[in-house]
Amino acid sequence: MELYVLRSKEEIGLEVARRIVERVKENPNIVLGLATGSTPLPTYKAIVKYSLSENVSYKNVTTFNLDEYVGLDENNNQSYRFFMNDNLFKYLDFGTTSHHFPSLENISSYDEEIEKYGGIDIQILGIGSNGHIAFNEPFTDIKEKTHVVKLSENTIKDNSRFFNSIDEVPTKAITMGLETILKSKEIILIATGKNKSVAVKKMLEGTYDPSCPASSLNLAKCKVHIYIDDECYEGMK
């Protein structure tokens, strides 16, 4: 793992975006694994800015999202498909069939679809305050592929800030499994804020602990880049 400590989530967004845009320039057919939530928003904003200013095309780029809620229509403004379109896709020239999201209909074939495209070249991740990555909660089987998961009370509480009330938060989601994520060719994990400090510290101990799914990244055979801000770093001391 390579750890980078930057001053703010905005600086992290700029740095990660530069890395990704440069890779798209090098490989116009790149396959990107994408995350949702507040953590990657500065990165997506910066990707749009850099790509438009440098006239970078995404027409041959393929994307696979980490997860999606069960029970939300794709047009619901809290669905992850809506989120990605609203924060990234609509601003760039992605192909009309280039985006992939896990669903109840493709859950058994999602991993096969990723492999059909040659695997994920760069996977963007966030981390939950309980150490989850994607929606892989503590003690998820390390061999788990794309699957349906019942969200923990901790995750539902964390995500309730995006809804009018906690009662509106879906209780299930479909997510890439830990095995799926670990097959990526390169991984970028972003963590910002003091509330992520405990999980990040546990992840960086260098061993795999099933109680902290993010620590599975210690088993990854690819390059893993960890970006945290000063607030997260200070909380780890």
Side-chain angles (χ1 to χ4, degrees):
M1 288 185 182
E2 295 181 1
L3 177 65
Y4 309 86
V5 182
L6 301 180
R7 286 185 297 179
S8 67
K9 59 185 179 182
E10 288 77 20
E11 285 194 10
I12 292 174
L14 291 172
E15 183 63 29
V16 174
R18 286 192 192 99
R19 180 186 291 273
I20 291 173
V21 172
E22 286 304 313
R23 291 292 302 280
V24 174
K25 288 180 182 178
E26 295 168 3
N27 178 14
N29 297 300
I30 197 168
V31 178
L32 300 177
L34 302 178
T36 51
S38 59
T39 297
L41 281 176
T43 295
Y44 295 151
K45 182 178 180 180
I47 286 175
V48 171
K49 178 182 177 181
Y50 286 141
S51 300
L52 293 178
S53 66
E54 299 179 22
N55 198 31
V56 179
S57 176
Y58 286 74
K59 65 181 180 181
N60 294 319
V61 172
T62 301
T63 68
F64 284 90
N65 260 72
L66 280 171
D67 38 38
E68 180 60 283
Y69 285 122
V70 171
L72 289 189
D73 181 87
E74 65 181 54
N75 295 314
N76 186 298
N77 64 7
Q78 292 302 327
S79 77
Y80 290 154
R81 186 181 289 271
F82 186 98
F83 174 98
M84 292 307 310
N85 184 61
D86 200 45
N87 291 290
L88 181 64
F89 296 158
K90 70 181 182 181
Y91 299 104
L92 303 171
D93 64 337
F94 284 98
T96 56
T97 61
S98 62
H99 310 312
H100 303 264
F101 291 79
S103 67
L104 292 177
E105 289 71 32
N106 69 10
I107 187 170
S108 62
S109 61
Y110 201 61
D111 287 75
E112 294 176 8
E113 191 74 7
I114 293 172
E115 291 179 9
K116 187 178 80 172
Y117 281 87
I120 292 173
D121 293 303
I122 303 178
Q123 176 65 64
I124 298 174
L125 296 174
I127 183 173
S129 59
N130 65 352
H132 75 251
I133 50 176
F135 276 126
N136 294 289
E137 300 286 4
F139 301 103
T140 296
D141 191 328
I142 192 75
K143 295 294 185 180
E144 193 74 78
K145 296 183 178 181
T146 301
H147 63 288
V148 175
V149 60
K150 182 179 179 181
L151 303 182
S152 70
E153 291 184 10
N154 180 280
T155 298
I156 291 173
K157 182 179 179 181
D158 284 351
N159 288 0
S160 65
R161 69 189 187 276
F162 301 115
F163 293 80
N164 293 322
S165 74
I166 195 169
D167 295 331
E168 293 183 7
V169 184
T171 59
K172 292 182 179 180
I174 306 165
T175 183
M176 285 188 198
L178 295 177
E179 180 175 297
T180 310
I181 292 169
L182 292 176
K183 285 183 177 180
S184 304
K185 300 171 186 175
E186 184 174 354
I187 294 171
I188 297 174
L189 184 143
I190 302 169
T192 58
K194 188 176 181 178
N195 67 316
K196 304 296 178 70
S197 300
V198 173
V200 171
K201 187 175 183 178
K202 199 166 190 176
M203 174 182 65
L204 293 175
E205 289 177 352
T207 58
Y208 170 52
D209 181 342
S211 71
C212 178
S215 69
S216 65
L217 299 182
N218 287 290
L219 305 178
K221 297 179 181 179
C222 65
K223 291 183 178 179
V224 179
H225 310 280
I226 310 296
Y227 287 85
I228 66 174
D229 63 356
D230 280 343
E231 188 177 344
C232 181
Y233 182 70
E234 290 300 317
M236 293 166 57
K237 294 180 179 178

